[in-house]
Amino acid sequence: MPELSPSRLSGLLRWIGGALVLVLALELMAVLSANAWGEEAFSQLVVDTLIKASPMALVGLLLMLMGSRLDQPQRQRSPLRWTVFGVGIALALSLLVSVPVTIGGNAILQKQSDQAVEQKQMELNRATAESNNPQLIEALVAQLRQAGQLDPNLSDEQASAQAKRFIDGRLGQLKQQVQQSERARSLTLGQRRFNGTGMALLLALATAAVALGAIL
């Protein structure tokens, strides 16, 4: 197998790095083509696409910088290094701008999640208050008997007790739904904070460091 010369390795690194950066540009162009800035969902989609594809672009900038240093180790500020600097600074600034957008999106998502949990909690509270209503139990007994779900030989007290167990089972299901909604809210918001806002900040710092390293 022939050895890979430094010049060929440098060219390969530059080509792969440029391709990775170009992939980020193409993904953003595909999203931006919708041109729906007035919608919050569109802004969040743009930011999410930027954050998810930025690690790949960061690797691409590193490869381009490595290729440049390998090909021209003595020249500190070649055109390629200025390109890495310009693209890196632009990407870092874009990531910094995305931080308040993700924070705003998190606030909207938390409000929607809180409303969903509150709705489930209200249903549970209403069902709990109605579970001790004698008229509700009598109506449920009549409904169950009409549906054939109660033994016709049961006394009124036995039928009421079975109807009460039916109501308790329903309350248990509602409690589980409330707990599931709370867990889903915590999980979703946690992922958004760490995988969105936190990652954007880290990527912005890392990309800025690579950009400055290209000309220093």
Side-chain angles (χ1 to χ4, degrees), residues 73-109:
Q74 303 300 327
R75 188 175 181 183
Q76 293 184 349
R77 297 181 180 179
S78 64
L80 180 59
R81 294 187 190 183
W82 279 113
T83 301
V84 173
F85 172 76
V87 174
I89 291 298
L91 180 57
L93 291 176
S94 299
L95 288 167
L96 287 176
V97 171
S98 71
V99 171
V101 179
T102 58
I103 293 176
N106 293 344
I108 294 175
L109 181 60

PDB file of all heavy atoms in Angstrom, residues 73-109:
ATOM      1  N   PRO A  73       3.232  24.600   7.469  1.00  0.00           N
ATOM      2  CA  PRO A  73       3.462  24.772   8.910  1.00  0.00           C
ATOM      3  C   PRO A  73       4.090  26.116   9.267  1.00  0.00           C
ATOM      4  O   PRO A  73       3.911  26.595  10.390  1.00  0.00           O
ATOM      5  CB  PRO A  73       4.397  23.605   9.255  1.00  0.00           C
ATOM      6  CG  PRO A  73       5.068  23.251   7.968  1.00  0.00           C
ATOM      7  CD  PRO A  73       4.054  23.529   6.895  1.00  0.00           C
ATOM      8  N   GLN A  74       4.815  26.712   8.358  1.00  0.00           N
ATOM      9  CA  GLN A  74       5.506  27.966   8.676  1.00  0.00           C
ATOM     10  C   GLN A  74       4.639  29.198   8.439  1.00  0.00           C
ATOM     11  O   GLN A  74       4.908  30.257   8.980  1.00  0.00           O
ATOM     12  CB  GLN A  74       6.785  28.074   7.830  1.00  0.00           C
ATOM     13  CG  GLN A  74       7.741  26.911   8.013  1.00  0.00           C
ATOM     14  CD  GLN A  74       8.206  26.771   9.456  1.00  0.00           C
ATOM     15  OE1 GLN A  74       8.344  27.764  10.169  1.00  0.00           O
ATOM     16  NE2 GLN A  74       8.450  25.537   9.882  1.00  0.00           N
ATOM     17  N   ARG A  75       3.625  29.036   7.616  1.00  0.00           N
ATOM     18  CA  ARG A  75       2.780  30.195   7.265  1.00  0.00           C
ATOM     19  C   ARG A  75       1.602  30.262   8.241  1.00  0.00           C
ATOM     20  O   ARG A  75       0.752  29.375   8.267  1.00  0.00           O
ATOM     21  CB  ARG A  75       2.282  30.065   5.834  1.00  0.00           C
ATOM     22  CG  ARG A  75       1.571  31.314   5.327  1.00  0.00           C
ATOM     23  CD  ARG A  75       1.215  31.155   3.862  1.00  0.00           C
ATOM     24  NE  ARG A  75       0.553  32.351   3.359  1.00  0.00           N
ATOM     25  CZ  ARG A  75       0.070  32.477   2.136  1.00  0.00           C
ATOM     26  NH1 ARG A  75       0.207  31.477   1.272  1.00  0.00           N
ATOM     27  NH2 ARG A  75      -0.519  33.593   1.744  1.00  0.00           N
ATOM     28  N   GLN A  76       1.528  31.302   9.037  1.00  0.00           N
ATOM     29  CA  GLN A  76       0.531  31.384  10.092  1.00  0.00           C
ATOM     30  C   GLN A  76      -0.846  31.815   9.576  1.00  0.00           C
ATOM     31  O   GLN A  76      -1.858  31.386  10.113  1.00  0.00           O
ATOM     32  CB  GLN A  76       1.000  32.356  11.177  1.00  0.00           C
ATOM     33  CG  GLN A  76       2.229  31.860  11.942  1.00  0.00           C
ATOM     34  CD  GLN A  76       2.595  32.799  13.071  1.00  0.00           C
ATOM     35  OE1 GLN A  76       2.072  33.903  13.169  1.00  0.00           O
ATOM     36  NE2 GLN A  76       3.511  32.358  13.926  1.00  0.00           N
ATOM     37  N   ARG A  77      -0.868  32.660   8.558  1.00  0.00           N
ATOM     38  CA  ARG A  77      -2.152  33.216   8.132  1.00  0.00           C
ATOM     39  C   ARG A  77      -2.336  33.029   6.635  1.00  0.00           C
ATOM     40  O   ARG A  77      -2.333  33.985   5.860  1.00  0.00           O
ATOM     41  CB  ARG A  77      -2.244  34.693   8.509  1.00  0.00           C
ATOM     42  CG  ARG A  77      -2.198  34.909  10.017  1.00  0.00           C
ATOM     43  CD  ARG A  77      -2.301  36.356  10.398  1.00  0.00           C
ATOM     44  NE  ARG A  77      -2.254  36.523  11.843  1.00  0.00           N
ATOM     45  CZ  ARG A  77      -2.306  37.698  12.484  1.00  0.00           C
ATOM     46  NH1 ARG A  77      -2.389  38.816  11.773  1.00  0.00           N
ATOM     47  NH2 ARG A  77      -2.260  37.738  13.806  1.00  0.00           N
ATOM     48  N   SER A  78      -2.565  31.796   6.272  1.00  0.00           N
ATOM     49  CA  SER A  78      -2.845  31.466   4.875  1.00  0.00           C
ATOM     50  C   SER A  78      -4.311  31.757   4.580  1.00  0.00           C
ATOM     51  O   SER A  78      -5.132  31.932   5.496  1.00  0.00           O
ATOM     52  CB  SER A  78      -2.533  29.985   4.620  1.00  0.00           C
ATOM     53  OG  SER A  78      -3.391  29.172   5.385  1.00  0.00           O
ATOM     54  N   PRO A  79      -4.697  31.813   3.306  1.00  0.00           N
ATOM     55  CA  PRO A  79      -6.107  32.038   2.969  1.00  0.00           C
ATOM     56  C   PRO A  79      -7.044  31.005   3.604  1.00  0.00           C
ATOM     57  O   PRO A  79      -8.160  31.338   4.019  1.00  0.00           O
ATOM     58  CB  PRO A  79      -6.111  31.937   1.439  1.00  0.00           C
ATOM     59  CG  PRO A  79      -4.728  32.347   1.033  1.00  0.00           C
ATOM     60  CD  PRO A  79      -3.831  31.822   2.103  1.00  0.00           C
ATOM     61  N   LEU A  80      -6.592  29.749   3.667  1.00  0.00           N
ATOM     62  CA  LEU A  80      -7.444  28.720   4.268  1.00  0.00           C
ATOM     63  C   LEU A  80      -7.654  28.979   5.745  1.00  0.00           C
ATOM     64  O   LEU A  80      -8.764  28.788   6.267  1.00  0.00           O
ATOM     65  CB  LEU A  80      -6.823  27.342   4.054  1.00  0.00           C
ATOM     66  CG  LEU A  80      -7.631  26.162   4.635  1.00  0.00           C
ATOM     67  CD1 LEU A  80      -9.026  26.114   4.027  1.00  0.00           C
ATOM     68  CD2 LEU A  80      -6.894  24.859   4.389  1.00  0.00           C
ATOM     69  N   ARG A  81      -6.614  29.436   6.425  1.00  0.00           N
ATOM     70  CA  ARG A  81      -6.761  29.716   7.849  1.00  0.00           C
ATOM     71  C   ARG A  81      -7.681  30.912   8.078  1.00  0.00           C
ATOM     72  O   ARG A  81      -8.443  30.938   9.047  1.00  0.00           O
ATOM     73  CB  ARG A  81      -5.393  29.953   8.484  1.00  0.00           C
ATOM     74  CG  ARG A  81      -4.520  28.711   8.475  1.00  0.00           C
ATOM     75  CD  ARG A  81      -3.249  28.910   9.260  1.00  0.00           C
ATOM     76  NE  ARG A  81      -2.325  27.805   9.060  1.00  0.00           N
ATOM     77  CZ  ARG A  81      -1.149  27.685   9.671  1.00  0.00           C
ATOM     78  NH1 ARG A  81      -0.761  28.622  10.523  1.00  0.00           N
ATOM     79  NH2 ARG A  81      -0.370  26.650   9.434  1.00  0.00           N
ATOM     80  N   TRP A  82      -7.615  31.897   7.192  1.00  0.00           N
ATOM     81  CA  TRP A  82      -8.563  33.009   7.293  1.00  0.00           C
ATOM     82  C   TRP A  82      -9.986  32.524   7.037  1.00  0.00           C
ATOM     83  O   TRP A  82     -10.946  33.022   7.652  1.00  0.00           O
ATOM     84  CB  TRP A  82      -8.186  34.114   6.308  1.00  0.00           C
ATOM     85  CG  TRP A  82      -7.098  35.015   6.796  1.00  0.00           C
ATOM     86  CD1 TRP A  82      -5.842  35.128   6.296  1.00  0.00           C
ATOM     87  CD2 TRP A  82      -7.173  35.927   7.899  1.00  0.00           C
ATOM     88  NE1 TRP A  82      -5.113  36.049   7.006  1.00  0.00           N
ATOM     89  CE2 TRP A  82      -5.910  36.567   8.006  1.00  0.00           C
ATOM     90  CE3 TRP A  82      -8.175  36.262   8.803  1.00  0.00           C
ATOM     91  CZ2 TRP A  82      -5.630  37.517   8.979  1.00  0.00           C
ATOM     92  CZ3 TRP A  82      -7.884  37.221   9.784  1.00  0.00           C
ATOM     93  CH2 TRP A  82      -6.634  37.832   9.861  1.00  0.00           C
ATOM     94  N   THR A  83     -10.131  31.556   6.154  1.00  0.00           N
ATOM     95  CA  THR A  83     -11.449  30.977   5.903  1.00  0.00           C
ATOM     96  C   THR A  83     -11.975  30.268   7.147  1.00  0.00           C
ATOM     97  O   THR A  83     -13.144  30.429   7.530  1.00  0.00           O
ATOM     98  CB  THR A  83     -11.385  29.979   4.735  1.00  0.00           C
ATOM     99  OG1 THR A  83     -10.931  30.653   3.567  1.00  0.00           O
ATOM    100  CG2 THR A  83     -12.762  29.372   4.466  1.00  0.00           C
ATOM    101  N   VAL A  84     -11.103  29.480   7.792  1.00  0.00           N
ATOM    102  CA  VAL A  84     -11.492  28.811   9.036  1.00  0.00           C
ATOM    103  C   VAL A  84     -11.875  29.841  10.096  1.00  0.00           C
ATOM    104  O   VAL A  84     -12.866  29.676  10.811  1.00  0.00           O
ATOM    105  CB  VAL A  84     -10.353  27.909   9.544  1.00  0.00           C
ATOM    106  CG1 VAL A  84     -10.681  27.345  10.930  1.00  0.00           C
ATOM    107  CG2 VAL A  84     -10.110  26.757   8.565  1.00  0.00           C
ATOM    108  N   PHE A  85     -11.097  30.910  10.162  1.00  0.00           N
ATOM    109  CA  PHE A  85     -11.400  31.968  11.138  1.00  0.00           C
ATOM    110  C   PHE A  85     -12.764  32.596  10.861  1.00  0.00           C
ATOM    111  O   PHE A  85     -13.592  32.750  11.765  1.00  0.00           O
ATOM    112  CB  PHE A  85     -10.311  33.034  11.088  1.00  0.00           C
ATOM    113  CG  PHE A  85     -10.623  34.252  11.914  1.00  0.00           C
ATOM    114  CD1 PHE A  85     -10.493  34.224  13.298  1.00  0.00           C
ATOM    115  CD2 PHE A  85     -11.060  35.421  11.308  1.00  0.00           C
ATOM    116  CE1 PHE A  85     -10.797  35.347  14.057  1.00  0.00           C
ATOM    117  CE2 PHE A  85     -11.350  36.546  12.062  1.00  0.00           C
ATOM    118  CZ  PHE A  85     -11.216  36.506  13.440  1.00  0.00           C
ATOM    119  N   GLY A  86     -13.015  32.964   9.601  1.00  0.00           N
ATOM    120  CA  GLY A  86     -14.276  33.623   9.262  1.00  0.00           C
ATOM    121  C   GLY A  86     -15.476  32.732   9.494  1.00  0.00           C
ATOM    122  O   GLY A  86     -16.482  33.148  10.105  1.00  0.00           O
ATOM    123  N   VAL A  87     -15.386  31.482   9.013  1.00  0.00           N
ATOM    124  CA  VAL A  87     -16.508  30.553   9.192  1.00  0.00           C
ATOM    125  C   VAL A  87     -16.710  30.246  10.668  1.00  0.00           C
ATOM    126  O   VAL A  87     -17.845  30.181  11.166  1.00  0.00           O
ATOM    127  CB  VAL A  87     -16.266  29.256   8.396  1.00  0.00           C
ATOM    128  CG1 VAL A  87     -17.353  28.235   8.692  1.00  0.00           C
ATOM    129  CG2 VAL A  87     -16.215  29.560   6.899  1.00  0.00           C
ATOM    130  N   GLY A  88     -15.600  30.062  11.400  1.00  0.00           N
ATOM    131  CA  GLY A  88     -15.698  29.741  12.822  1.00  0.00           C
ATOM    132  C   GLY A  88     -16.340  30.859  13.622  1.00  0.00           C
ATOM    133  O   GLY A  88     -17.203  30.615  14.474  1.00  0.00           O
ATOM    134  N   ILE A  89     -15.932  32.102  13.373  1.00  0.00           N
ATOM    135  CA  ILE A  89     -16.523  33.244  14.092  1.00  0.00           C
ATOM    136  C   ILE A  89     -18.004  33.382  13.754  1.00  0.00           C
ATOM    137  O   ILE A  89     -18.842  33.635  14.627  1.00  0.00           O
ATOM    138  CB  ILE A  89     -15.758  34.536  13.753  1.00  0.00           C
ATOM    139  CG1 ILE A  89     -14.355  34.487  14.373  1.00  0.00           C
ATOM    140  CG2 ILE A  89     -16.521  35.749  14.267  1.00  0.00           C
ATOM    141  CD1 ILE A  89     -14.337  34.393  15.875  1.00  0.00           C
ATOM    142  N   ALA A  90     -18.345  33.213  12.465  1.00  0.00           N
ATOM    143  CA  ALA A  90     -19.754  33.309  12.066  1.00  0.00           C
ATOM    144  C   ALA A  90     -20.585  32.227  12.743  1.00  0.00           C
ATOM    145  O   ALA A  90     -21.700  32.487  13.228  1.00  0.00           O
ATOM    146  CB  ALA A  90     -19.872  33.193  10.543  1.00  0.00           C
ATOM    147  N   LEU A  91     -20.038  31.027  12.815  1.00  0.00           N
ATOM    148  CA  LEU A  91     -20.763  29.935  13.456  1.00  0.00           C
ATOM    149  C   LEU A  91     -20.886  30.172  14.956  1.00  0.00           C
ATOM    150  O   LEU A  91     -21.949  29.933  15.546  1.00  0.00           O
ATOM    151  CB  LEU A  91     -20.050  28.606  13.182  1.00  0.00           C
ATOM    152  CG  LEU A  91     -20.688  27.343  13.783  1.00  0.00           C
ATOM    153  CD1 LEU A  91     -22.123  27.192  13.322  1.00  0.00           C
ATOM    154  CD2 LEU A  91     -19.863  26.120  13.406  1.00  0.00           C
ATOM    155  N   ALA A  92     -19.815  30.650  15.587  1.00  0.00           N
ATOM    156  CA  ALA A  92     -19.862  30.924  17.026  1.00  0.00           C
ATOM    157  C   ALA A  92     -20.888  32.001  17.350  1.00  0.00           C
ATOM    158  O   ALA A  92     -21.652  31.880  18.322  1.00  0.00           O
ATOM    159  CB  ALA A  92     -18.473  31.338  17.516  1.00  0.00           C
ATOM    160  N   LEU A  93     -20.923  33.063  16.547  1.00  0.00           N
ATOM    161  CA  LEU A  93     -21.912  34.126  16.771  1.00  0.00           C
ATOM    162  C   LEU A  93     -23.337  33.610  16.569  1.00  0.00           C
ATOM    163  O   LEU A  93     -24.257  33.970  17.319  1.00  0.00           O
ATOM    164  CB  LEU A  93     -21.630  35.298  15.829  1.00  0.00           C
ATOM    165  CG  LEU A  93     -20.345  36.099  16.122  1.00  0.00           C
ATOM    166  CD1 LEU A  93     -20.136  37.168  15.059  1.00  0.00           C
ATOM    167  CD2 LEU A  93     -20.412  36.719  17.513  1.00  0.00           C
ATOM    168  N   SER A  94     -23.523  32.766  15.552  1.00  0.00           N
ATOM    169  CA  SER A  94     -24.853  32.195  15.318  1.00  0.00           C
ATOM    170  C   SER A  94     -25.300  31.346  16.501  1.00  0.00           C
ATOM    171  O   SER A  94     -26.478  31.380  16.898  1.00  0.00           O
ATOM    172  CB  SER A  94     -24.829  31.341  14.046  1.00  0.00           C
ATOM    173  OG  SER A  94     -24.490  32.122  12.915  1.00  0.00           O
ATOM    174  N   LEU A  95     -24.377  30.590  17.073  1.00  0.00           N
ATOM    175  CA  LEU A  95     -24.711  29.761  18.235  1.00  0.00           C
ATOM    176  C   LEU A  95     -25.047  30.629  19.445  1.00  0.00           C
ATOM    177  O   LEU A  95     -25.956  30.304  20.214  1.00  0.00           O
ATOM    178  CB  LEU A  95     -23.548  28.824  18.556  1.00  0.00           C
ATOM    179  CG  LEU A  95     -23.347  27.670  17.565  1.00  0.00           C
ATOM    180  CD1 LEU A  95     -21.999  27.004  17.782  1.00  0.00           C
ATOM    181  CD2 LEU A  95     -24.468  26.649  17.702  1.00  0.00           C
ATOM    182  N   LEU A  96     -24.311  31.730  19.613  1.00  0.00           N
ATOM    183  CA  LEU A  96     -24.620  32.631  20.726  1.00  0.00           C
ATOM    184  C   LEU A  96     -25.996  33.267  20.548  1.00  0.00           C
ATOM    185  O   LEU A  96     -26.757  33.415  21.522  1.00  0.00           O
ATOM    186  CB  LEU A  96     -23.550  33.718  20.833  1.00  0.00           C
ATOM    187  CG  LEU A  96     -22.183  33.279  21.370  1.00  0.00           C
ATOM    188  CD1 LEU A  96     -21.195  34.435  21.338  1.00  0.00           C
ATOM    189  CD2 LEU A  96     -22.316  32.727  22.791  1.00  0.00           C
ATOM    190  N   VAL A  97     -26.320  33.635  19.316  1.00  0.00           N
ATOM    191  CA  VAL A  97     -27.644  34.215  19.049  1.00  0.00           C
ATOM    192  C   VAL A  97     -28.748  33.189  19.297  1.00  0.00           C
ATOM    193  O   VAL A  97     -29.865  33.536  19.709  1.00  0.00           O
ATOM    194  CB  VAL A  97     -27.703  34.741  17.598  1.00  0.00           C
ATOM    195  CG1 VAL A  97     -29.125  35.139  17.215  1.00  0.00           C
ATOM    196  CG2 VAL A  97     -26.761  35.922  17.422  1.00  0.00           C
ATOM    197  N   SER A  98     -28.434  31.912  19.069  1.00  0.00           N
ATOM    198  CA  SER A  98     -29.453  30.868  19.252  1.00  0.00           C
ATOM    199  C   SER A  98     -29.789  30.629  20.711  1.00  0.00           C
ATOM    200  O   SER A  98     -30.843  30.053  21.012  1.00  0.00           O
ATOM    201  CB  SER A  98     -28.974  29.556  18.619  1.00  0.00           C
ATOM    202  OG  SER A  98     -27.922  28.985  19.362  1.00  0.00           O
ATOM    203  N   VAL A  99     -28.909  31.056  21.639  1.00  0.00           N
ATOM    204  CA  VAL A  99     -29.143  30.799  23.065  1.00  0.00           C
ATOM    205  C   VAL A  99     -30.442  31.452  23.556  1.00  0.00           C
ATOM    206  O   VAL A  99     -31.288  30.778  24.153  1.00  0.00           O
ATOM    207  CB  VAL A  99     -27.933  31.248  23.904  1.00  0.00           C
ATOM    208  CG1 VAL A  99     -28.258  31.186  25.395  1.00  0.00           C
ATOM    209  CG2 VAL A  99     -26.733  30.363  23.601  1.00  0.00           C
ATOM    210  N   PRO A 100     -30.643  32.781  23.352  1.00  0.00           N
ATOM    211  CA  PRO A 100     -31.913  33.357  23.809  1.00  0.00           C
ATOM    212  C   PRO A 100     -33.128  32.775  23.094  1.00  0.00           C
ATOM    213  O   PRO A 100     -34.222  32.717  23.667  1.00  0.00           O
ATOM    214  CB  PRO A 100     -31.759  34.858  23.503  1.00  0.00           C
ATOM    215  CG  PRO A 100     -30.664  34.948  22.496  1.00  0.00           C
ATOM    216  CD  PRO A 100     -29.747  33.816  22.789  1.00  0.00           C
ATOM    217  N   VAL A 101     -32.942  32.325  21.853  1.00  0.00           N
ATOM    218  CA  VAL A 101     -34.063  31.702  21.136  1.00  0.00           C
ATOM    219  C   VAL A 101     -34.444  30.385  21.802  1.00  0.00           C
ATOM    220  O   VAL A 101     -35.628  30.089  21.999  1.00  0.00           O
ATOM    221  CB  VAL A 101     -33.704  31.472  19.655  1.00  0.00           C
ATOM    222  CG1 VAL A 101     -34.865  30.798  18.924  1.00  0.00           C
ATOM    223  CG2 VAL A 101     -33.359  32.786  18.975  1.00  0.00           C
ATOM    224  N   THR A 102     -33.443  29.591  22.176  1.00  0.00           N
ATOM    225  CA  THR A 102     -33.745  28.331  22.858  1.00  0.00           C
ATOM    226  C   THR A 102     -34.345  28.576  24.232  1.00  0.00           C
ATOM    227  O   THR A 102     -35.237  27.845  24.662  1.00  0.00           O
ATOM    228  CB  THR A 102     -32.470  27.483  23.007  1.00  0.00           C
ATOM    229  OG1 THR A 102     -31.478  28.221  23.731  1.00  0.00           O
ATOM    230  CG2 THR A 102     -31.911  27.109  21.653  1.00  0.00           C
ATOM    231  N   ILE A 103     -33.868  29.616  24.921  1.00  0.00           N
ATOM    232  CA  ILE A 103     -34.431  29.936  26.234  1.00  0.00           C
ATOM    233  C   ILE A 103     -35.901  30.330  26.096  1.00  0.00           C
ATOM    234  O   ILE A 103     -36.759  29.918  26.873  1.00  0.00           O
ATOM    235  CB  ILE A 103     -33.622  31.062  26.910  1.00  0.00           C
ATOM    236  CG1 ILE A 103     -32.216  30.557  27.248  1.00  0.00           C
ATOM    237  CG2 ILE A 103     -34.327  31.552  28.170  1.00  0.00           C
ATOM    238  CD1 ILE A 103     -31.308  31.617  27.826  1.00  0.00           C
ATOM    239  N   GLY A 104     -36.211  31.149  25.068  1.00  0.00           N
ATOM    240  CA  GLY A 104     -37.603  31.521  24.830  1.00  0.00           C
ATOM    241  C   GLY A 104     -38.458  30.318  24.471  1.00  0.00           C
ATOM    242  O   GLY A 104     -39.596  30.185  24.930  1.00  0.00           O
ATOM    243  N   GLY A 105     -37.900  29.421  23.654  1.00  0.00           N
ATOM    244  CA  GLY A 105     -38.634  28.208  23.306  1.00  0.00           C
ATOM    245  C   GLY A 105     -38.864  27.318  24.508  1.00  0.00           C
ATOM    246  O   GLY A 105     -39.933  26.701  24.648  1.00  0.00           O
ATOM    247  N   ASN A 106     -37.873  27.258  25.415  1.00  0.00           N
ATOM    248  CA  ASN A 106     -38.036  26.471  26.639  1.00  0.00           C
ATOM    249  C   ASN A 106     -39.152  27.037  27.513  1.00  0.00           C
ATOM    250  O   ASN A 106     -39.913  26.282  28.136  1.00  0.00           O
ATOM    251  CB  ASN A 106     -36.728  26.447  27.426  1.00  0.00           C
ATOM    252  CG  ASN A 106     -35.637  25.673  26.707  1.00  0.00           C
ATOM    253  OD1 ASN A 106     -35.913  24.914  25.779  1.00  0.00           O
ATOM    254  ND2 ASN A 106     -34.407  25.875  27.113  1.00  0.00           N
ATOM    255  N   ALA A 107     -39.233  28.372  27.568  1.00  0.00           N
ATOM    256  CA  ALA A 107     -40.284  28.997  28.377  1.00  0.00           C
ATOM    257  C   ALA A 107     -41.670  28.675  27.820  1.00  0.00           C
ATOM    258  O   ALA A 107     -42.612  28.382  28.573  1.00  0.00           O
ATOM    259  CB  ALA A 107     -40.065  30.506  28.426  1.00  0.00           C
ATOM    260  N   ILE A 108     -41.796  28.718  26.497  1.00  0.00           N
ATOM    261  CA  ILE A 108     -43.083  28.396  25.875  1.00  0.00           C
ATOM    262  C   ILE A 108     -43.434  26.925  26.111  1.00  0.00           C
ATOM    263  O   ILE A 108     -44.576  26.580  26.453  1.00  0.00           O
ATOM    264  CB  ILE A 108     -43.043  28.704  24.369  1.00  0.00           C
ATOM    265  CG1 ILE A 108     -42.890  30.209  24.140  1.00  0.00           C
ATOM    266  CG2 ILE A 108     -44.301  28.195  23.677  1.00  0.00           C
ATOM    267  CD1 ILE A 108     -42.722  30.584  22.683  1.00  0.00           C
ATOM    268  N   LEU A 109     -42.428  26.051  25.951  1.00  0.00           N
ATOM    269  CA  LEU A 109     -42.659  24.626  26.155  1.00  0.00           C
ATOM    270  C   LEU A 109     -43.034  24.332  27.601  1.00  0.00           C
ATOM    271  O   LEU A 109     -43.912  23.498  27.867  1.00  0.00           O
ATOM    272  CB  LEU A 109     -41.402  23.840  25.764  1.00  0.00           C
ATOM    273  CG  LEU A 109     -41.492  22.315  25.889  1.00  0.00           C
ATOM    274  CD1 LEU A 109     -42.596  21.764  24.991  1.00  0.00           C
ATOM    275  CD2 LEU A 109     -40.155  21.672  25.536  1.00  0.00           C
TER     276      LEU A 109
END
